[in-house]
Amino acid sequence: MATCLVVANSLFRPPKPILPHKHLPLQPISSHSLPKSPLNSTFLKPHFSHSDSCRFRFIAPASLGETDASSDEPLPLVGEDSAAFDLGTQNIVSWIYFTLILGVVLFVLDVIWIDNSTGFGKAFIDAVSTLSDSHEIVMLALILIFATVHSGLASFRDMGEKLLGKRAYRVLFAGVSLPLAVSTVVYFINHRYDGVQLWQLQNGPGVHQLVWLSNFISFFFLYPSTFNLLEVAAVDQPKVHLWETGIMRITRHPQMVGQVIWCLAHTIWIGNSVAVAASVGLIGHHLFGVWNGDRRLAVRHGEAFEVVKKRTSIIPFAAILDGRQKLPKDYYKEFIRLPYLAITAMTLGAYFLHPVMQAASFRLHW
C-alpha cells in the first residue's frame, strides 16, 4: 500500500515562546480505555513541526496509486521503466542468436512471400484486388485483413501461450503478421498517388518542414515493448509488460498517437483519396487497439494496471495537465537512452532511403 505524504508547515518561521501551563493531575487508566489490539505503527505516525504550537499530524494509509495533489514529487512506480537498456547486463550470445534469427526470418520472408517467382505475396495482393477496381477499397481491405489477424492473435495470446508456449506463440504471431504488414506497406507505396487528388499542398511554405518534423516525432511514440528486440525475436521469453515511464507518462497508448501523427503528415503531403483511405484504416485499427490493449493489461496485471491507468491518459499530456501525472525533475533523462538514439538514427536513415524503398516496391508490381 502506498502512503499519502503529509507536508509539514514552514520551518523558517521563528517559533513563539511556549507559555507556561497548569499541570493536571494524572488520571488512572482503566482497562476499558486500552485498545483491544495493538496499534499499527504505520497507521498513526506522529509528525512534529516547528509551528505556532506543538501539534500532531498523522500519515494515513492511501489506496494503491492514490495521488497527492499538494505534492510535486512523482509517486513510486508500479509499472516498469520503459526503454531501459543496460549494456553491462546484455548477453552477447543472445544477440548472436538474435542476428541469426533475423537473417533466417528475412531470408524465409523473401522466398515464401516477397520474391514473385517463389512467394505468395503477389498472389495474395491479386486475390484481394479482385474485390474491387478501387485502390481505396483494396487498401482498406488489406488493412482490415492485417488488423483482424494482428489484433486477433494478440487477443488470444493467453490461450495460445498455454497451448503452444510463449516462444512458439510469438513465432506464430510474427510469422503471420509480418507478411501481411509487408504486403500492406508495399501496396500503399506503389499506389499512394493513384487516387483522386483532393488537395495539393506540397509547394506550400513550410509544409515540407512540418510534414518531415511530424513524421520524425511520430516514431518516438513507438510502444516501449518494440525496443525489447530479444523478446520480439523470442530469444528471451516474451512478456506482457506494464510500462510506466518515458513516453507512457505523456500517453498510455503512444503507438496510437504516433500512428495518428504519421497518418496526418502523409495525408497532408499526398492529399488524395488513397492516402485518406489508408489513414482511416490505420487510425481505426489503432483506436480499437486502445480498447483492446487496456482490456488485456487489466486482465493480466489487475490492480497494478488500474493504478497506472489513473496516473496516465490516452490523450497526450492530459494526465500531466490535470495533475494525475507528476513528471520527475530529470524527466528528459528517460529519453536519453540507447533505444531512442537508435530510433533517431533509423528514422533519419529511413528518410534518406525513401527512394530505395520506393524502387524496391515498384519492382514487385504488387
Side-chain angles (χ1 to χ4, degrees):
M1 296 291 290
T3 305
C4 180
L5 301 180
V6 182
V7 181
N9 289 336
S10 172
L11 299 178
F12 299 101
R13 182 184 299 175
K16 293 182 179 180
I18 301 176
L19 298 177
H21 57 278
K22 297 181 180 180
H23 294 279
L24 297 177
L26 295 176
Q27 300 294 329
I29 300 176
S30 65
S31 59
H32 298 287
S33 64
L34 293 176
K36 296 183 179 180
S37 59
L39 290 176
N40 187 343
S41 59
T42 61
F43 183 76
L44 297 176
K45 186 176 181 180
H47 181 91
F48 296 96
S49 64
H50 295 283
S51 56
D52 295 343
S53 61
C54 183
R55 293 180 295 179
F56 285 95
R57 291 175 179 257
F58 299 101
I59 296 180
S63 61
L64 186 61
E66 185 177 340
T67 60
D68 182 0
S70 64
S71 174
D72 293 330
E73 294 298 325
L75 294 170
L77 293 180
V78 174
E80 299 179 62
D81 187 15
S82 62
F85 188 88
D86 186 1
L87 284 173
T89 62
Q90 300 303 308
N91 187 341
I92 186 64
V93 176
S94 296
W95 286 103
I96 292 175
Y97 282 144
F98 170 80
T99 304
L100 294 175
I101 291 173
L102 179 62
V104 171
V105 168
L106 293 178
F107 174 78
V108 173
L109 180 65
D110 180 62
V111 173
I112 294 181
W113 199 259
I114 297 177
D115 191 333
N116 287 333
S117 63
T118 60
F120 297 95
K122 181 172 174 51
F124 171 72
I125 294 292
D126 291 342
V128 177
S129 298
T130 61
L131 296 175
S132 174
D133 293 331
S134 168
H135 293 298
E136 293 84 355
I137 298 298
V138 175
M139 186 78 255
L140 284 171
L142 288 171
I143 294 175
L144 179 61
I145 293 171
F146 169 76
T148 302
V149 172
H150 187 77
S151 295
L153 288 174
S155 298
F156 288 106
R157 178 173 178 172
D158 290 342
M159 182 187 304
E161 288 181 344
K162 291 179 181 178
L163 294 174
L164 304 177
K166 294 184 177 181
R167 285 188 171 90
Y169 194 78
R170 172 54 59 89
V171 172
L172 173 65
F173 178 81
V176 177
S177 299
L178 187 57
L180 297 177
V182 170
S183 297
T184 305
V185 171
V186 171
Y187 188 87
F188 174 75
I189 292 175
N190 287 349
H191 299 281
R192 69 193 187 281
Y193 286 114
D194 290 343
V196 178
Q197 197 68 36
L198 303 175
W199 57 78
Q200 180 58 259
L201 302 176
Q202 293 183 1
N203 296 324
V207 173
H208 180 270
Q209 291 79 3
L210 174 63
V211 169
W212 187 93
L213 182 62
S214 299
N215 185 67
F216 180 79
I217 292 174
S218 71
F219 285 93
F220 283 86
F221 283 84
L222 283 171
Y223 195 68
S225 290
T226 310
F227 304 143
N228 289 18
L229 297 179
L230 296 181
E231 291 185 25
V232 172
V235 176
D236 288 348
Q237 184 167 276
K239 302 175 183 177
V240 179
H241 294 274
L242 182 62
W243 306 110
E244 192 176 358
T245 63
I247 197 67
M248 306 299 289
R249 297 185 189 273
I250 296 176
T251 171
R252 190 168 68 253
H253 291 280
Q255 194 85 12
M256 178 273 295
V257 175
Q259 187 67 73
V260 170
I261 296 173
W262 187 94
C263 286
L264 291 177
H266 281 76
T267 302
I268 290 172
W269 182 254
I270 298 172
N272 66 19
S273 54
V274 171
V276 171
S279 294
V280 169
L282 290 171
I283 292 174
H285 174 216
H286 283 76
L287 289 177
F288 171 79
V290 169
W291 170 82
N292 197 37
D294 278 356
R295 181 191 64 81
R296 293 172 56 225
L297 287 173
V299 171
R300 181 63 67 97
H301 294 284
E303 185 183 358
F305 170 70
E306 296 302 325
V307 173
V308 174
K309 185 177 180 180
K310 291 179 181 178
R311 297 178 184 177
T312 56
S313 60
I314 297 174
I315 300 176
F317 301 104
I320 298 173
L321 294 176
D322 64 23
R324 290 181 290 122
Q325 176 64 240
K326 306 291 185 180
L327 295 180
K329 295 179 180 179
D330 56 352
Y331 173 58
Y332 68 93
K333 292 183 180 179
E334 296 181 0
F335 289 92
I336 306 179
R337 293 176 173 178
L338 184 59
Y340 286 111
L341 296 177
I343 288 296
T344 302
M346 292 176 64
T347 303
L348 292 174
Y351 173 76
F352 290 111
L353 290 175
H354 262 55
V356 177
M357 296 165 58
Q358 293 167 5
S361 296
F362 293 154
R363 285 196 296 268
L364 294 176
H365 301 290
W366 289 4

